[in-house]
Amino acid sequence: MAATAPYDVDRVRRDFPILKRIVRNGKRLVYLDSAATSQKPQCVIDAISRYYSEDNANVHRGVHHLSQRATDLYEDARHKINSFLGTMVGCETIFTRGATEAINLVAHGFGKGFVNAGDEVLISHMEHHSNIVPWQMLCEARGAKLRVIPINDDGELIMEEFDRLLNGRTKMVSVTHVSNALGTVNPVAEICRKAREAGARVLIDGAQSAPHMPIDMKAIGADFFVAAGHKMCGPTGVGVLYGRAELLDRMPPWQGGGDMILSVTFEKTTYAHIPARFEAGTPPIAEVIGLGEAADYLTKLGMDRVAAHEHDLMVYGTEQLKQVPGLTIVGNAKEKAGAISFTMDCAHPHDIGQILDDEGIAVRAGHHCAQPVMQRYGVAATARASFGLYNTRAEIDALVAGLHKVREIFA
Ligand code: C6P
């Protein structure tokens, strides 16, 4: 589909073989769990299979034909990700095993290089555990202090509190672009600008934004940005860390091993330049190639059109869910993307998930690896319907019908 044609969701759906699958009681899959992991288009599945059947070899290690071919495919994927993210000169893209590993890499490397006793790291109350625990570990190790930007009842960052908490001791601000538990879209460009003025560095967790909206690193202005391949129509086992070269260059390596060295003796090892310095060992080659294909696929669809399509689902879904008696939406930010979390007065989220599953509808129920968010709203768990570029209004109607069944059974 050309990026200028109207968005044809039926045509997009044909690219995803799994969407034809019958899952339960003769019901066709209604997949509303893309925040956990997205489905994969045939072109990504084919790219991985083609690599294994035609090009399989290790990268950066051999002079033989296949090794060179695999290396070219691997490095091409880096270019594809760079253009997908709108990365800048002076920045580098590193492949990791996931968004979680990318954040840990920065917490470890930036922490060792730049954070000392008495310094502060600022995160927000709506972070995923992957953007909390690595900073907690760093603060414990370095004697630094973890501070938390509170959120209001609608699930938005309280920006006055951010302004108040940001100070000369703040070394790192690490916040999510889009909350996986609430769907809130945060004002990341403003956060980056204010942090820069205060002399702090910023990491933006883009795990839930990169699949849903155009990403322009120039406009965001972050020092680090992370994304998860498997949430962007790519395979599992691969993530992206984008960062400013001047910082990455000064960060110690994250793991030691093959490909991250210039020379090794028993007395001393010297390290390779970035990105190789942070890609120790045989990387996830097939996964990186698959992710490059996914980035191309998304670029061809047009991320602005994907965002518009999903915005329509968000507006329609919110309107429809609000009409289900006894249902409360958790997170009512003005800017939302990707996910709607909710509770029902008659049933526990796990029961909601179970009844919907009987209808072939996949949602996530639980704390979404964001327990502090649940604590903020005084709930143990929510049910979460999350969207992808292949979802339709008809699937939201199916969800609403399923929720009425939940009421019939439990109310
Ligand atoms: N959230 C969800 O169902 P990994 O697991 O490394 O690919 O991604 C971690 C991660 C980091 N940040 C945010 C905002 C996330 O949403 C996630 C993953 C999934 O919400 C699985 S817990």
Side-chain angles (χ1 to χ4, degrees):
M1 186 169 38
T4 46
Y7 193 80
D8 181 350
V9 70
D10 293 328
R11 187 154 167 211
V12 170
R13 288 176 68 81
R14 290 201 287 275
D15 295 334
F16 292 80
I18 207 168
L19 297 180
K20 296 192 200 84
R21 186 138 158 31
I22 304 298
V23 278
R24 279 232 193 262
N25 309 325
K27 308 270 180 181
R28 169 84 67 96
L29 171 68
V30 173
Y31 190 73
L32 296 173
D33 197 18
S34 292
T37 196
S38 68
Q39 295 303 345
K40 322 301 174 200
Q42 189 64 52
C43 62
V44 169
I45 300 167
D46 289 346
I48 296 167
S49 153
R50 204 166 43 244
Y51 162 71
Y52 281 127
S53 50
E54 294 176 19
D55 300 310
N56 181 45
N58 212 326
V59 294
H60 305 141
R61 282 157 171 81
V63 292
H64 61 79
H65 177 74
L66 287 189
S67 179
Q68 287 179 15
R69 170 92 183 125
T71 302
D72 288 347
L73 291 169
Y74 183 87
E75 290 305 327
D76 273 358
R78 205 185 306 273
H79 295 305
K80 289 173 182 179
I81 288 294
N82 282 342
S83 69
F84 180 77
L85 294 177
T87 58
M88 298 184 291
V89 177
C91 294
E92 192 54 84
T93 295
I94 290 154
F95 290 117
T96 62
R97 269 81 180 171
T100 301
E101 189 181 86
I103 299 172
N104 276 276
L105 189 164
V106 178
H108 175 270
F110 183 84
K112 270 197 171 165
F114 297 85
V115 179
N116 295 306
D119 288 340
E120 295 181 1
V121 173
L122 189 51
I123 61 172
S124 89
H125 206 126
M126 71 174 84
E127 299 310 317
H128 185 279
H129 297 163
S130 295
N131 199 25
I132 300 174
V133 184
W135 302 112
Q136 255 171 353
M137 289 160 67
L138 160 69
C139 287
E140 238 173 70
R142 308 294 291 180
K145 190 166 180 192
L146 189 69
R147 308 201 73 184
V148 182
I149 311 162
I151 57 178
N152 65 22
D153 290 345
D154 284 336
E156 295 163 327
L157 291 181
I158 303 178
M159 290 303 281
E160 298 76 32
E161 287 296 308
F162 169 63
D163 294 343
R164 197 181 60 75
L165 287 164
L166 190 62
N167 67 67
R169 290 183 301 278
T170 315
K171 281 287 174 324
M172 172 63 82
V173 178
S174 190
V175 292
T176 194
H177 196 171
V178 172
S179 157
N180 70 317
L182 302 169
T184 309
V185 181
N186 285 320
V188 287
E190 180 186 348
I191 290 169
C192 291
R193 179 178 53 75
K194 287 182 166 168
R196 202 168 39 246
E197 283 164 12
R201 301 296 186 170
V202 186
L203 182 147
I204 299 297
D205 175 357
Q208 298 291 353
S209 62
H212 303 298
M213 58 187 67
I215 300 293
D216 180 1
M217 293 315 310
K218 295 174 206 64
I220 294 174
D223 298 290
F224 302 99
F225 184 94
V226 310
H230 69 98
K231 296 189 202 288
M232 316 164 42
C233 296
T236 53
V238 57
V240 173
L241 167 62
Y242 155 93
R244 288 192 200 279
E246 43 143 346
L247 294 174
L248 291 167
D249 275 335
R250 289 153 65 200
M251 282 163 42
W254 154 239
Q255 292 175 331
D259 221 27
M260 52 74 74
I261 55 94
L262 283 179
S263 71
V264 178
T265 65
F266 287 120
E267 289 69 43
K268 185 168 172 58
T269 292
T270 55
Y271 303 123
H273 299 294
I274 57 170
R277 185 139 58 95
F278 292 109
E279 293 181 358
T282 298
I285 304 168
E287 291 78 0
V288 165
I289 292 168
L291 179 56
E293 187 67 31
D296 263 1
Y297 177 78
L298 295 174
T299 303
K300 275 184 209 138
L301 280 185
M303 286 309 290
D304 45 354
R305 295 187 323 141
V306 167
H309 173 71
E310 291 191 23
H311 179 71
D312 175 72
L313 294 176
M314 175 62 76
V315 173
Y316 182 72
T318 304
E319 274 166 12
Q320 298 304 309
L321 289 185
K322 276 185 175 164
Q323 286 167 34
V324 177
L327 184 147
T328 304
I329 292 180
V330 180
N332 290 290
K334 281 184 260 335
E335 299 286 334
K336 278 181 73 171
I340 306 178
S341 261
F342 58 92
T343 56
M344 289 176 84
D345 58 2
C346 60
H348 187 278
H350 287 126
D351 294 326
I352 300 173
Q354 196 61 58
I355 301 300
L356 292 176
D357 185 48
D358 289 341
E359 301 298 312
I361 304 166
V363 298
R364 184 171 172 188
H367 55 60
H368 315 297
C369 301
Q371 284 185 352
V373 174
M374 301 298 123
Q375 289 149 15
R376 169 67 178 75
Y377 290 95
V379 293
T382 69
R384 181 188 70 183
S386 58
F387 310 126
L389 48 89
Y390 33 67
N391 288 123
T392 63
R393 283 186 172 214
E395 291 181 306
I396 289 169
D397 295 340
L399 169 68
V400 170
L403 294 174
H404 282 292
K405 283 223 166 108
V406 173
R407 277 201 73 72
E408 277 164 30
I409 294 167
F410 289 100

